[in-house]
Amino acid sequence: MGPGWRAASAAMVAGSVVIFGALCRVAVVLPRPAAVRSRPSRAWRWRNLLVSFAHSVLAGLWALCSLWYSPELLSDIQDGYSVSGHLLVCFSSGYFIHDTLDIIFNLQSRSSWEYLVHHAMAISAFVSLIITGRFLVAAMLLLLVEVSNIFLTIRMLLKMSNVPSLALYEANKYINLVMYFAFRLAPQAYLTWYFLRYVEVQGQGAFLTANLLLLDAMILMYFSRLLRSDFFPSLRKGSAGRDVDGEKFLID
């Protein structure tokens, strides 16, 4: 890709950072549930989750629609290219950069270190895709995870707001599990199989494969947390009496 297109891509990433910064300011003035207002330590986490929810809706539906309307991209995961996919990767790169800065500047690094590791992996991988123009289809498949994150974030927002409707939480719990399988575990498993079988373990291919395997481990860990929390609470260890206000775990 030429220098001009790379400069334009950098501008798009920067523009995305600004957009999410503006959404963050909007989230500050939005009404908050009584359970959040009564616990000031939850204010940052609530706002951060709202911005995360906005990214999940936009990026998840964007990835889904892009692949739905251009299924031929799936036949060339390494070198397939679409402008929509390129813009999506720039857009999500901006979100990950914004969220990283938000965590650091609000002194949440210790409680949100898992997010920082995840974001560092995503940013470094996406920058390599933007520069080379290769593996963009793989990134689009990975960003299908944002469809699952819509319901995962709803789950966390419901828990924070102490919504009295058990039926609402229960319904979302099962939808979240189905979406986790369909849009997180399935694409991740397919890409892992594809990279291990077809991608040369050198250069960018080796770097992305290592990132993918580390992400596999993280996703399985989060899945075990989700199952213990929502379906097998008796198996949870060390959670009684633990105050997680202000903490931003991928799975609480």
Side-chain angles (χ1 to χ4, degrees):
M1 302 185 72
W5 186 234
R6 291 175 186 170
S9 298
M12 287 185 281
V13 172
S16 177
V17 174
V18 172
I19 289 172
F20 284 105
L23 287 176
C24 189
R25 291 182 175 274
V26 171
V28 169
V29 300
L30 290 177
R32 289 173 291 175
V36 176
R37 295 196 304 271
S38 64
R39 305 288 290 274
S41 57
R42 295 185 178 186
W44 172 81
R45 191 171 183 225
W46 179 264
R47 170 183 59 75
N48 188 274
L49 285 173
L50 289 179
V51 177
S52 176
F53 179 74
H55 171 256
S56 294
V57 172
L58 294 170
L61 296 180
W62 190 340
L64 189 60
C65 290
S66 294
L67 291 171
W68 180 269
Y69 288 109
S70 301
E72 68 278 2
L73 292 172
L74 297 174
S75 64
D76 192 359
I77 289 179
Q78 293 193 51
D79 297 309
Y81 180 84
S82 77
V83 173
S84 176
H86 188 101
L87 294 174
L88 172 60
V89 171
C90 292
F91 176 76
S92 287
S93 297
Y95 166 73
F96 292 131
I97 292 171
H98 166 268
D99 198 49
T100 298
L101 296 175
D102 190 36
I103 290 171
I104 293 172
F105 290 159
N106 285 280
L107 307 179
Q108 300 292 329
S109 299
R110 183 176 179 180
S111 61
S112 305
W113 66 269
E114 294 171 344
Y115 264 63
L116 293 179
V117 172
H118 173 272
H119 289 0
M121 292 165 54
I123 292 168
S124 59
F126 283 4
V127 167
S128 78
L129 308 184
I130 292 170
I131 291 174
T132 65
R134 300 185 70 228
F135 296 104
L136 281 170
V137 180
M140 295 167 72
L141 281 169
L142 283 176
L143 284 169
L144 288 175
V145 72
E146 297 300 337
V147 178
S148 169
N149 281 345
I150 294 172
F151 301 93
L152 185 61
T153 307
I154 289 174
R155 172 189 178 276
M156 291 189 283
L157 291 171
L158 288 174
K159 291 188 72 172
M160 284 191 67
S161 58
N162 293 334
V163 173
S165 174
L166 181 60
L168 180 60
Y169 186 89
E170 286 291 309
N172 184 74
K173 179 174 77 173
Y174 288 102
I175 295 172
N176 182 38
L177 183 64
V178 171
M179 294 299 177
Y180 204 100
F181 272 103
F183 292 102
R184 187 183 296 261
L185 294 178
Q188 187 75 21
Y190 174 73
L191 279 176
T192 300
W193 169 81
Y194 180 89
F195 268 74
L196 292 178
R197 180 163 185 174
Y198 294 111
V199 176
E200 293 185 7
V201 187
Q202 61 180 12
Q204 186 186 21
F207 171 69
L208 294 178
T209 300
N211 258 10
L212 198 59
L213 292 175
L214 180 56
L215 190 57
D216 286 344
M218 295 176 73
I219 283 178
L220 291 176
M221 179 179 66
Y222 302 146
F223 186 52
S224 69
R225 288 185 190 176
L226 178 64
L227 291 178
R228 289 198 306 270
S229 179
D230 276 0
F231 297 95
F232 305 101
S234 61
L235 298 179
R236 298 181 69 184
K237 297 179 180 179
S239 59
R242 184 166 65 97
D243 185 359
V244 296
D245 288 350
E247 295 184 3
K248 183 188 175 184
F249 291 117
L250 287 174
I251 299 291
D252 249 351

